[in-house]
Amino acid sequence: MRSNPTRRSLILGACAVTVASALPAIAKTAPSIHVLKDPNCGCCEGWIEILQSEGFDVTVQASMGTLLARYKSDNGIPQQMISCHTGKIAGYMIEGHVPPADIRRLLKERPDAVGLAVPGMPYGSPGMGPESERDAYDVFLIRRDGSTEVFASYSAA
């Protein structure tokens, strides 16, 4: 005995195919990152462009001086970890020129932490000149108690 498909089963089948075909695109979507930065800072723009080219959805808010410093402090970034711009992604703070691969690793591992920081502005870090001429630098994981540990290291080129 053979049954004919009903309109309802055809519609449900079409919906299932549509949802299934969208899953790979959803899985590849990077979370949104909101960045606070001085509106006149070119290296911050360079870092933002790198994030965008890596598939991150970036929103930018101009901030400077004591407002930006207070935002950093209020969000658990220790004074010795400060850099020029600050991002917030999936509940984590990203301070300075953190490479996109390290942000992705943070989001994958989900440690109990404030976030990541590259203090200062090391030459050759993302947005700070060519990687082929970079200075050695570390990416630090900022713990909730304010302590830090090396999350990733980059040697001089």
Side-chain angles (χ1 to χ4, degrees):
M1 179 174 185
R2 191 171 168 173
S3 65
N4 290 330
T6 64
R7 185 175 358 164
R8 180 179 178 155
S9 65
L10 288 174
I11 292 171
L12 287 174
C15 288
V17 168
T18 303
V19 169
S21 66
L23 289 177
I26 292 168
K28 292 179 183 178
T29 302
S32 296
I33 183 167
H34 184 71
V35 179
L36 271 71
K37 69 172 222 53
D38 184 306
N40 301 309
C41 185
C43 68
C44 299
E45 287 298 326
W47 183 71
I48 289 166
E49 288 171 9
I50 289 168
L51 289 180
Q52 289 171 328
S53 73
E54 290 282 328
F56 287 86
D57 179 24
V58 184
T59 56
V60 180
Q61 179 179 342
S63 185
M64 56 195 319
T66 44
L67 288 176
L68 186 54
R70 182 167 183 159
Y71 179 78
K72 294 170 189 279
S73 175
D74 288 350
N75 283 283
I77 299 171
Q79 184 68 35
Q80 70 273 18
M81 291 289 119
I82 288 184
S83 184
C84 53
H85 54 263
T86 305
K88 191 168 195 174
I89 184 169
Y92 288 108
M93 303 307 294
I94 306 296
E95 180 67 13
H97 296 267
V98 177
D102 294 325
I103 298 171
R104 284 194 177 94
R105 179 180 154 208
L106 175 77
L107 296 175
K108 181 180 178 187
E109 295 178 5
R110 303 292 302 166
D112 183 26
V114 170
L116 298 176
V118 172
M121 298 164 69
Y123 189 75
S125 60
M128 287 299 299
E131 190 175 353
S132 62
E133 299 175 23
R134 78 169 171 237
D135 294 334
Y137 69 95
D138 292 322
V139 177
F140 292 92
L141 179 70
I142 304 170
R143 295 279 179 198
R144 298 215 179 272
D145 66 0
S147 65
T148 61
E149 64 185 65
V150 174
F151 187 77
S153 291
Y154 294 85
S155 59

